[in-house]
Each structure stands twice: as structure tokens, then as C-alpha cells.
Amino acid sequence: MNGYIGDDPAALEAMNAEIAHRGPDFSGHYKHGRVHLGHLLLSIRESAELSQQPYQKKGSPWVLVFNGQIYNTRSLAQVHHIPFSDLDTAMLYDLIEKKGWDFVQHVHGMFAIALYNEKEGMLRLYRDTAGQKPLYFTTTLPFAFSSELSPLVKLISSRTI
């Protein structure tokens, strides 16, 4: 997963190209104003069509990019009355719609998450407390983040964004 806040539309494609090895099944892009989110998918549990990211439901202001695994999906479904799914991304999204920014207090797993709210114009990053899933960011350029370091190094050295 990658993202940045800026004006260069080619920057996200350059970031995704830098980590193309992470996911051959789908490459997704999202843009809202100056916010750009990208994701490359390696489909493990379900078909790539069901797991495409950035993830957003029609009519909802939330946009999610996610890398990782959620361990307490059954508990989340029972306690928070959200539909159980084999897709962690779908369950996370349903939890986010119920709990908002504080959803992460209820999640156990290994993850890196970028969550954007179109209505509020706010982007937040989350990472599991053990740091199992990497999440790098830089503020030396307009703000940028990635699940690997190489896209950020490339952007900083080329001043692409």
C-alpha cells in the first residue's frame, strides 16, 4: 500500500511500480483532491475481485487500504454485530463504519492501515502494536507513506512529488 498528499498524478503510479512484486492480482488507485491512495493485491483467501483496494462502499465517506491479517474476526462479528466474512478488509470496513476512527481499539492482528474520510478530509495511518507489518512515512516531501521503504526513497531522491 502507498499514498501521498500532493499534486503529481504520476507519483502514485511510480510508488506502486516500485512495489509491483507485492501483488500481481490487482492494482488499485484512489484520488480525492490532493489525497492519493494505492494498493497492490496478492489474493490469498478469496478472489481478487472481492478484495480490491482502495476499499470504499458507495455512499460512505471512508476509504481504506490495508495490509495484514485480523485475528479476532469472529469476535468482531459477534461483539459489534457486523457480518462475518473471510475477507478481513470487508470486516474492517464494517467495523470502521460503526466505530469511526477508534475502530483500531477493537482489532487484534498484524496490520498496516491507511484510512481516509472524504467528508472530514482527514487521513490517518495505523499499525499493529508489535510492528509486524511495516509502515513507513516521510514528511520531507508532501506527506507520503508506504508499506515498503523503496518507494519513499525513490520519491525523495527524484523529488517526484
Side-chain angles (χ1 to χ4, degrees):
M1 66 181 216
N2 292 303
Y4 81 98
I5 299 173
D7 296 317
D8 182 358
L12 187 64
E13 295 212 16
M15 292 175 79
N16 274 359
E18 190 68 20
I19 60 169
H21 62 276
R22 291 186 61 109
D25 296 321
F26 180 78
S27 176
H29 308 271
Y30 167 86
K31 180 185 183 306
H32 183 259
R34 298 184 67 217
V35 175
H36 302 261
L37 303 174
H39 190 270
L40 287 105
L41 176 68
L42 174 61
S43 183
I44 295 173
R45 290 195 201 165
E46 290 283 341
S47 75
E49 288 178 4
L50 297 174
S51 301
Q52 294 176 358
Q53 296 183 42
Y55 193 91
Q56 183 178 31
K57 290 183 179 177
K58 188 174 181 162
S60 177
W62 299 104
V63 183
L64 171 69
V65 287
F66 162 69
N67 180 28
Q69 182 178 3
I70 305 305
Y71 301 147
N72 64 327
T73 53
R74 291 209 183 275
S75 171
L76 289 173
Q78 292 171 350
V79 172
H80 301 287
H81 308 289
I82 59 176
F84 179 78
S85 171
D86 285 334
L87 301 173
D88 291 352
T89 306
M91 289 198 67
L92 266 178
Y93 197 90
D94 289 342
L95 182 65
I96 288 163
E97 286 192 304
K98 279 199 163 216
K99 299 295 179 180
W101 296 114
D102 295 329
F103 78 96
V104 75
Q105 296 175 25
H106 308 280
V107 176
H108 302 287
M110 58 176 181
F111 55 83
I113 298 169
L115 181 61
Y116 179 66
N117 185 296
E118 292 175 336
K119 191 175 186 178
E120 297 176 22
M122 186 177 295
L123 172 69
R124 291 188 185 177
L125 304 179
Y126 301 85
R127 191 173 101 176
D128 62 274
T129 56
Q132 290 180 287
K133 289 294 180 181
L135 183 58
Y136 303 98
F137 66 93
T138 180
T139 57
T140 60
L141 303 167
F143 181 80
F145 69 91
S146 181
S147 55
E148 287 193 15
L149 195 54
S150 60
L152 299 179
V153 171
K154 184 173 184 175
L155 290 174
I156 291 169
S157 64
S158 69
R159 296 288 184 193
T160 302
I161 60 174

